Amino acid sequence: MSLIDTHCHLNFDQYDADRQQVIDRAGAADVNRIIIPAVDVKTAHEAVALAGQHVQIYAAVGVHPTSTADFSDEILTEIENIHRSASKIVAVGEIGLDYYWDKSPKSRQIEAFEAQLDLARRLELPVIIHNREASEDVMAILENWAATLPPSLKERPGVLHSFSAPAEIAQRAIKLNFYLGFTGPITYKNADDLRRIAVEVPEDKILVETDGPFLTPIPHRGKRNEPAYIPFMVDRLAALRQITTEAMGAITTENAQHLFQLS
């Protein structure tokens, strides 16, 4: 079984002491590809560098909503230049809205979000969407954007990563052909609503991710998350959907390959 961690911040300093061992453990757990999403220009360069050093690593490049306080045309141009000059970039991300942390004004977040969605459309790349306590605004913006997409993106516009919104938001996202990414919380005791959504999502719209170093699944909750823990999410989804782990793994891998056009 070959699995894909579609979202891990492997460039973060939590992995500095043992990054190669983390990659090796991922491979031993059949997690053979990892996508690193940027959160700003600095981490974009880090993600691209790691993708260049490791055959199994890919990058996504974008500015996270909590990093948008100083967003400008110059930053957007730098993000675009990275996209156009580097290889193994498979998405624009992580972008979106975050109304939980008070690190950037809503108006600035929306400006950065819409500018990067426009960039993704021009580059014909899918988007990795961060949404925290901003579901209505996120979906309204995505619905407008989806109506403008070229044929190459209509069936694979992007993913709502680490999905945690209500079922109604899941339905609106799926209607736009968005994928939903499931992380460690699918294994948590108090996540019954999320598990109900995971059962109802069409099988061709499910992705698995760690969001490492965050959101570690049970039985490792409380420790640093890492790609080797992807099988815990696959196992839980398989049990919920009453199929084999192997079948669930194959589904999530095929979905990731299609969304991100992985070879």
Side-chain angles (χ1 to χ4, degrees), residues 39 63-72 96 103-105 108-110 112-113 116:
V39 297
V63 179
H64 188 285
T66 62
S67 301
T68 58
D70 62 349
F71 190 83
S72 63
K103 294 186 177 182
S104 177
R108 183 58 60 86
Q109 290 189 43
I110 290 170
F113 187 23
Q116 292 180 96

Side-chain angles (χ1 to χ4, degrees), residues 160-182:
L160 270 62
H161 113 86
S162 191
F163 189 82
S164 62
E168 180 249 339
I169 299 300
Q171 292 160 5
R172 287 171 68 181
I174 291 162
K175 189 175 181 181
L176 300 178
N177 288 319
F178 268 83
Y179 293 68
L180 304 186
F182 292 96

Side-chain angles (χ1 to χ4, degrees), residues 4-142:
I4 301 174
D5 184 349
T6 59
H7 196 114
C8 180
H9 298 284
L10 194 58
N11 56 306
F12 280 13
D13 57 11
Q14 289 94 329
Y15 299 106
D16 284 353
D18 63 343
R19 189 170 286 108
Q20 185 57 54
Q21 292 94 319
V22 169
I23 295 169
D24 292 343
R25 283 194 294 271
D30 294 324
V31 181
N32 298 315
R33 281 168 288 182
I34 302 164
I35 297 173
I36 303 178
V39 297
D40 53 24
V41 171
K42 173 179 176 288
T43 55
H45 287 293
E46 293 170 354
V48 166
L50 280 168
Q53 294 160 13
H54 300 275
V55 66
Q56 65 271 65
I57 291 178
Y58 297 82
V61 171
V63 179
H64 188 285
T66 62
S67 301
T68 58
D70 62 349
F71 190 83
S72 63
D73 289 343
E74 289 74 20
I75 288 175
L76 182 64
T77 297
E78 188 163 1
I79 290 294
E80 180 167 0
N81 288 341
I82 295 169
H83 272 281
R84 295 193 182 279
S85 63
S87 59
K88 295 180 73 181
I89 299 177
V90 297
V92 174
E94 160 181 8
I95 66 175
L97 301 176
D98 190 315
Y99 295 168
Y100 178 81
W101 297 107
D102 186 24
K103 294 186 177 182
S104 177
K106 289 182 181 181
S107 59
R108 183 58 60 86
Q109 290 189 43
I110 290 170
E111 174 192 342
F113 187 23
E114 291 180 333
Q116 292 180 96
L117 287 171
D118 181 62
L119 175 63
R121 181 177 57 237
R122 288 188 282 114
L123 295 172
E124 296 192 33
L125 284 174
V127 289
I128 297 174
I129 301 298
H130 174 100
N131 167 30
R132 191 163 188 190
E133 298 190 4
S135 292
E136 193 54 49
D137 285 355
V138 165
M139 290 312 305
I141 290 168
L142 289 179

Side-chain angles (χ1 to χ4, degrees), residues 215-247:
L215 300 176
T216 311
I218 291 170
H220 298 288
R221 192 175 185 186
K223 302 175 184 177
R224 180 194 67 183
N225 204 357
E226 61 176 78
Y229 297 160
I230 281 288
F232 293 108
M233 275 71 82
V234 174
D235 287 346
R236 194 62 198 262
L237 285 166
L240 288 168
R241 296 177 72 94
Q242 298 183 318
I243 60 175
T244 67
T245 297
E246 290 73 18

